[in-house]
Amino acid sequence: MTADVTDLKAHAERLRELHGGEMLVLPNAWDAASATIVAEAGFPVVATASAAISAMLGYPDGEGAPWQEMFAAAGRVARAVSVPVTVDAEAGYGMQPRELVDRLLDIGAVGCNLEDTDHRAGGLVEAGAHARWLADVRSAADDAGVPIVINARVDAFLPAGGIPEADRMAEATRRGRLYLDAGADCVYPIGVRHKRDIATLVTELPGPVNGNTGEHLDLATLRELGVARVSYGPRFYRAAMADLKATVQELLA
């Protein structure tokens, strides 16, 4: 473990505390420069976005990039800032729980997103099996002495998850409860677009909920609904690339 375990533990505990107070807003970073901008702006945590990092590295999202490159990039983010860092670790890259925990701690990360999509087979991982795997990740973190904050992403609302639209709320709620019971610290039902849906999830799930802003969901609305954490994924990376594209095209005019 490269970083000092005492410092990592303090960062992990701080990250967990931030899920229980004022809504935690995470404008996701993808490299050392963007992470520094986020931290210097005053945000208490830096989160990475796997889609942004994989695109930066030249690979498709959804575990299309080698994990070694993804972790190396996330490690540069963690080294660039002094605040807690949580890493989008996709579906865990097929790692055993202790290996995943050790590699996160080696790069200085104290939190992770773990999603329940099976990128190799397609669709969602069986909920019970995923809950058991999350419980093993929690146990491995406990054994390592650092209470890594697990943000369990529930992909039931994504079309690729294969859940009929009428069943998505019930399935997301079922999975979220299982994951919280397994030791996850927060549930992230990605793909929720409507106020009524995120409101139901906040009410039905016995733990913090990660939301996203969108056409019908601004920060004020999410805060009013009791959302604990808001993340942006690759949104700012894509905005930066769009700005670069427009700027360099002006040079050809």
Side-chain angles (χ1 to χ4, degrees):
M1 192 180 299
T2 303
D4 182 83
V5 67
T6 303
D7 292 340
L8 289 171
K9 183 177 180 181
H11 272 185
E13 290 172 346
R14 176 59 178 152
L15 176 56
R16 179 169 286 103
E17 289 171 1
L18 288 168
H19 285 72
E22 178 69 14
M23 188 172 70
L24 177 61
V25 179
L26 299 169
N28 300 71
W30 58 91
D31 60 8
S34 57
T36 300
I37 288 170
V38 171
E40 289 184 347
F43 291 91
V45 175
V46 170
T48 68
S50 66
I53 291 179
S54 59
M56 176 190 71
L57 295 172
Y59 296 96
D61 190 23
E63 298 196 344
W67 69 262
Q68 294 91 337
E69 294 193 42
M70 296 294 287
F71 273 68
R76 290 190 286 274
V77 166
R79 288 195 300 274
V81 298
S82 59
V83 299
V85 170
T86 179
V87 169
D88 184 349
E90 303 190 81
Y93 306 102
M95 293 182 188
Q96 293 299 310
R98 186 56 197 255
E99 180 187 6
L100 175 63
V101 167
D102 285 347
R103 293 195 183 281
L104 287 168
L105 296 178
D106 281 344
I107 63 171
V110 296
C112 58
N113 278 17
L114 294 171
E115 60 205 42
D116 58 3
T117 289
D118 186 334
H119 293 290
R120 291 159 185 82
L124 302 184
V125 179
E126 194 276 318
H130 192 64
R132 289 189 292 274
W133 184 75
L134 290 174
D136 288 342
V137 174
R138 166 57 60 221
S139 179
D142 291 342
D143 289 345
V146 179
I148 285 176
V149 175
I150 300 172
N151 190 34
R153 203 180 90 176
V154 177
D155 291 356
F157 280 88
L158 298 181
I163 307 298
E165 189 169 353
D167 299 332
R168 289 175 183 174
M169 175 59 70
E171 183 63 11
T173 302
R174 183 178 78 90
R175 286 174 175 266
R177 288 173 176 165
L178 283 172
Y179 302 163
L180 288 167
D181 286 345
D185 299 282
C186 185
V187 173
Y188 179 13
I190 191 172
V192 176
R193 294 184 173 86
H194 299 290
K195 180 177 178 179
R196 64 178 183 276
D197 291 336
I198 196 69
T200 298
L201 288 162
V202 169
T203 300
E204 294 295 325
L205 292 174
V209 172
N210 188 138
N212 300 120
T213 59
E215 183 181 358
H216 307 292
L217 294 169
D218 58 17
L219 283 177
T221 299
L222 293 172
R223 187 177 288 111
E224 176 188 341
L225 293 175
V227 167
R229 164 175 169 161
V230 177
S231 50
Y232 289 82
R235 194 177 310 177
F236 295 114
Y237 167 80
R238 289 170 179 165
M241 293 302 101
D243 183 64
L244 175 62
K245 180 178 180 179
T247 301
V248 297
Q249 286 178 335
E250 289 176 2
L251 301 177
L252 300 175

